Amino acid sequence: QVQLVESGGGLVQPGGSLRLSCAASGSIFTFNAMGWYRQAPGKERESVADITRGGKTNYVDSVKGRFTISRDDAKNTVYLQMNNLKPEDTAVYYCTENLGYGIKRWGKGTLVTVSS
């Protein structure tokens, strides 16, 4: 019944911007930390960004200064603002919710393609 639903992916030119959204359906985030992962073709899935209930954020080095994660608990939604996109950012992006004890809930992903 509880689902994480990503949206906002698509095709964008290098240097462009996209805003990804992750909405919780059938539940609320409460005190859980949230995050974004991505998996590029031929590469392992990696953590891109995460945010605690209190708003503390972390980013992988490759996106620092370009991506911003935020949350709106009133809307049960987490965002990933992606600026100055590069071809290497092309990947399926997954929203995650930290359920505790190292267990995460996963969305089904949204594809971001950065190409001219």
PDB file of all heavy atoms in Angstrom, residues 8 21 23 27-28 32-33 41 47 60 62 76 80 87 89 93 109 112:
ATOM      1  N   GLY A   8       9.693  13.545 -12.755  1.00  0.00           N
ATOM      2  CA  GLY A   8      10.516  14.665 -13.162  1.00  0.00           C
ATOM      3  C   GLY A   8      11.684  14.319 -14.056  1.00  0.00           C
ATOM      4  O   GLY A   8      12.385  15.220 -14.532  1.00  0.00           O
ATOM      5  N   SER A  21      11.104  14.753  -8.155  1.00  0.00           N
ATOM      6  CA  SER A  21      10.249  14.710  -6.985  1.00  0.00           C
ATOM      7  C   SER A  21      10.021  13.272  -6.565  1.00  0.00           C
ATOM      8  O   SER A  21       9.988  12.372  -7.396  1.00  0.00           O
ATOM      9  CB  SER A  21       8.898  15.378  -7.265  1.00  0.00           C
ATOM     10  OG  SER A  21       9.047  16.739  -7.599  1.00  0.00           O
ATOM     11  N   ALA A  23       7.263  11.396  -4.024  1.00  0.00           N
ATOM     12  CA  ALA A  23       6.092  11.532  -3.180  1.00  0.00           C
ATOM     13  C   ALA A  23       5.743  10.201  -2.536  1.00  0.00           C
ATOM     14  O   ALA A  23       5.743   9.163  -3.202  1.00  0.00           O
ATOM     15  CB  ALA A  23       4.906  12.052  -3.986  1.00  0.00           C
ATOM     16  N   SER A  27       1.333   6.964   3.055  1.00  0.00           N
ATOM     17  CA  SER A  27       2.093   7.084   4.291  1.00  0.00           C
ATOM     18  C   SER A  27       2.673   8.487   4.392  1.00  0.00           C
ATOM     19  O   SER A  27       2.496   9.314   3.506  1.00  0.00           O
ATOM     20  CB  SER A  27       3.198   6.027   4.362  1.00  0.00           C
ATOM     21  OG  SER A  27       3.865   6.066   5.618  1.00  0.00           O
ATOM     22  N   ILE A  28       3.387   8.738   5.490  1.00  0.00           N
ATOM     23  CA  ILE A  28       4.117   9.977   5.681  1.00  0.00           C
ATOM     24  C   ILE A  28       5.542   9.645   6.077  1.00  0.00           C
ATOM     25  O   ILE A  28       5.841   8.553   6.549  1.00  0.00           O
ATOM     26  CB  ILE A  28       3.458  10.885   6.733  1.00  0.00           C
ATOM     27  CG1 ILE A  28       3.346  10.156   8.080  1.00  0.00           C
ATOM     28  CG2 ILE A  28       2.089  11.350   6.251  1.00  0.00           C
ATOM     29  CD1 ILE A  28       2.808  11.023   9.197  1.00  0.00           C
ATOM     30  N   ASN A  32      11.883   9.846   9.281  1.00  0.00           N
ATOM     31  CA  ASN A  32      12.812   9.058   8.480  1.00  0.00           C
ATOM     32  C   ASN A  32      13.696   9.926   7.597  1.00  0.00           C
ATOM     33  O   ASN A  32      13.238  10.912   7.015  1.00  0.00           O
ATOM     34  CB  ASN A  32      12.056   8.062   7.609  1.00  0.00           C
ATOM     35  CG  ASN A  32      11.398   6.970   8.427  1.00  0.00           C
ATOM     36  OD1 ASN A  32      11.792   6.706   9.557  1.00  0.00           O
ATOM     37  ND2 ASN A  32      10.392   6.328   7.848  1.00  0.00           N
ATOM     38  N   ALA A  33      14.962   9.525   7.488  1.00  0.00           N
ATOM     39  CA  ALA A  33      15.852  10.135   6.515  1.00  0.00           C
ATOM     40  C   ALA A  33      15.470   9.667   5.109  1.00  0.00           C
ATOM     41  O   ALA A  33      15.000   8.543   4.921  1.00  0.00           O
ATOM     42  CB  ALA A  33      17.295   9.772   6.814  1.00  0.00           C
ATOM     43  N   PRO A  41      24.419   3.135 -16.753  1.00  0.00           N
ATOM     44  CA  PRO A  41      24.716   1.905 -17.500  1.00  0.00           C
ATOM     45  C   PRO A  41      26.126   1.410 -17.238  1.00  0.00           C
ATOM     46  O   PRO A  41      27.090   2.171 -17.332  1.00  0.00           O
ATOM     47  CB  PRO A  41      24.539   2.336 -18.957  1.00  0.00           C
ATOM     48  CG  PRO A  41      23.586   3.482 -18.899  1.00  0.00           C
ATOM     49  CD  PRO A  41      23.929   4.205 -17.636  1.00  0.00           C
ATOM     50  N   SER A  47      24.927   6.113  -3.989  1.00  0.00           N
ATOM     51  CA  SER A  47      24.179   7.126  -3.266  1.00  0.00           C
ATOM     52  C   SER A  47      24.553   8.502  -3.797  1.00  0.00           C
ATOM     53  O   SER A  47      25.737   8.835  -3.888  1.00  0.00           O
ATOM     54  CB  SER A  47      24.471   7.042  -1.769  1.00  0.00           C
ATOM     55  OG  SER A  47      23.823   8.084  -1.064  1.00  0.00           O
ATOM     56  N   VAL A  60      27.329  13.031  -2.780  1.00  0.00           N
ATOM     57  CA  VAL A  60      28.513  12.444  -3.371  1.00  0.00           C
ATOM     58  C   VAL A  60      29.328  13.568  -4.017  1.00  0.00           C
ATOM     59  O   VAL A  60      28.771  14.565  -4.494  1.00  0.00           O
ATOM     60  CB  VAL A  60      28.125  11.355  -4.396  1.00  0.00           C
ATOM     61  CG1 VAL A  60      27.428  11.956  -5.603  1.00  0.00           C
ATOM     62  CG2 VAL A  60      29.334  10.538  -4.806  1.00  0.00           C
ATOM     63  N   SER A  62      30.826  14.080  -6.735  1.00  0.00           N
ATOM     64  CA  SER A  62      30.630  14.415  -8.138  1.00  0.00           C
ATOM     65  C   SER A  62      29.454  15.355  -8.393  1.00  0.00           C
ATOM     66  O   SER A  62      29.366  15.943  -9.472  1.00  0.00           O
ATOM     67  CB  SER A  62      30.453  13.140  -8.968  1.00  0.00           C
ATOM     68  OG  SER A  62      29.322  12.404  -8.542  1.00  0.00           O
ATOM     69  N   ASN A  76       4.699  15.456   2.066  1.00  0.00           N
ATOM     70  CA  ASN A  76       5.269  14.107   2.017  1.00  0.00           C
ATOM     71  C   ASN A  76       6.119  13.915   0.768  1.00  0.00           C
ATOM     72  O   ASN A  76       6.036  12.879   0.094  1.00  0.00           O
ATOM     73  CB  ASN A  76       4.170  13.044   2.072  1.00  0.00           C
ATOM     74  CG  ASN A  76       3.374  13.080   3.353  1.00  0.00           C
ATOM     75  OD1 ASN A  76       3.873  13.491   4.396  1.00  0.00           O
ATOM     76  ND2 ASN A  76       2.128  12.637   3.287  1.00  0.00           N
ATOM     77  N   LEU A  80      14.985  16.643  -5.639  1.00  0.00           N
ATOM     78  CA  LEU A  80      16.381  16.716  -6.033  1.00  0.00           C
ATOM     79  C   LEU A  80      16.485  17.700  -7.188  1.00  0.00           C
ATOM     80  O   LEU A  80      16.106  17.380  -8.316  1.00  0.00           O
ATOM     81  CB  LEU A  80      16.938  15.353  -6.444  1.00  0.00           C
ATOM     82  CG  LEU A  80      18.438  15.327  -6.748  1.00  0.00           C
ATOM     83  CD1 LEU A  80      19.246  15.586  -5.479  1.00  0.00           C
ATOM     84  CD2 LEU A  80      18.854  14.000  -7.373  1.00  0.00           C
ATOM     85  N   PRO A  87      26.692  14.752 -19.112  1.00  0.00           N
ATOM     86  CA  PRO A  87      26.374  13.421 -19.637  1.00  0.00           C
ATOM     87  C   PRO A  87      26.605  12.298 -18.634  1.00  0.00           C
ATOM     88  O   PRO A  87      25.867  11.307 -18.637  1.00  0.00           O
ATOM     89  CB  PRO A  87      27.299  13.299 -20.854  1.00  0.00           C
ATOM     90  CG  PRO A  87      27.476  14.704 -21.316  1.00  0.00           C
ATOM     91  CD  PRO A  87      27.530  15.524 -20.057  1.00  0.00           C
ATOM     92  N   ASP A  89      25.859  12.257 -15.664  1.00  0.00           N
ATOM     93  CA  ASP A  89      24.730  12.180 -14.748  1.00  0.00           C
ATOM     94  C   ASP A  89      23.615  11.286 -15.271  1.00  0.00           C
ATOM     95  O   ASP A  89      22.647  11.025 -14.550  1.00  0.00           O
ATOM     96  CB  ASP A  89      24.155  13.572 -14.470  1.00  0.00           C
ATOM     97  CG  ASP A  89      25.138  14.483 -13.758  1.00  0.00           C
ATOM     98  OD1 ASP A  89      25.816  14.016 -12.830  1.00  0.00           O
ATOM     99  OD2 ASP A  89      25.216  15.675 -14.129  1.00  0.00           O
ATOM    100  N   TYR A  93      17.353   7.252 -11.561  1.00  0.00           N
ATOM    101  CA  TYR A  93      17.415   7.812 -10.219  1.00  0.00           C
ATOM    102  C   TYR A  93      16.313   7.214  -9.360  1.00  0.00           C
ATOM    103  O   TYR A  93      15.148   7.189  -9.753  1.00  0.00           O
ATOM    104  CB  TYR A  93      17.279   9.337 -10.269  1.00  0.00           C
ATOM    105  CG  TYR A  93      18.539  10.023 -10.745  1.00  0.00           C
ATOM    106  CD1 TYR A  93      18.920   9.951 -12.079  1.00  0.00           C
ATOM    107  CD2 TYR A  93      19.351  10.723  -9.858  1.00  0.00           C
ATOM    108  CE1 TYR A  93      20.083  10.562 -12.514  1.00  0.00           C
ATOM    109  CE2 TYR A  93      20.514  11.338 -10.291  1.00  0.00           C
ATOM    110  CZ  TYR A  93      20.877  11.254 -11.619  1.00  0.00           C
ATOM    111  OH  TYR A  93      22.035  11.864 -12.051  1.00  0.00           O
ATOM    112  N   GLY A 109      12.030   4.197  -9.706  1.00  0.00           N
ATOM    113  CA  GLY A 109      13.027   4.916 -10.477  1.00  0.00           C
ATOM    114  C   GLY A 109      12.455   5.803 -11.562  1.00  0.00           C
ATOM    115  O   GLY A 109      11.362   5.581 -12.069  1.00  0.00           O
ATOM    116  N   VAL A 112      16.890   9.752 -16.124  1.00  0.00           N
ATOM    117  CA  VAL A 112      17.437  11.050 -16.504  1.00  0.00           C
ATOM    118  C   VAL A 112      18.478  10.821 -17.586  1.00  0.00           C
ATOM    119  O   VAL A 112      19.440  10.082 -17.384  1.00  0.00           O
ATOM    120  CB  VAL A 112      18.066  11.775 -15.301  1.00  0.00           C
ATOM    121  CG1 VAL A 112      18.795  13.043 -15.754  1.00  0.00           C
ATOM    122  CG2 VAL A 112      17.012  12.101 -14.265  1.00  0.00           C
TER     123      VAL A 112
END
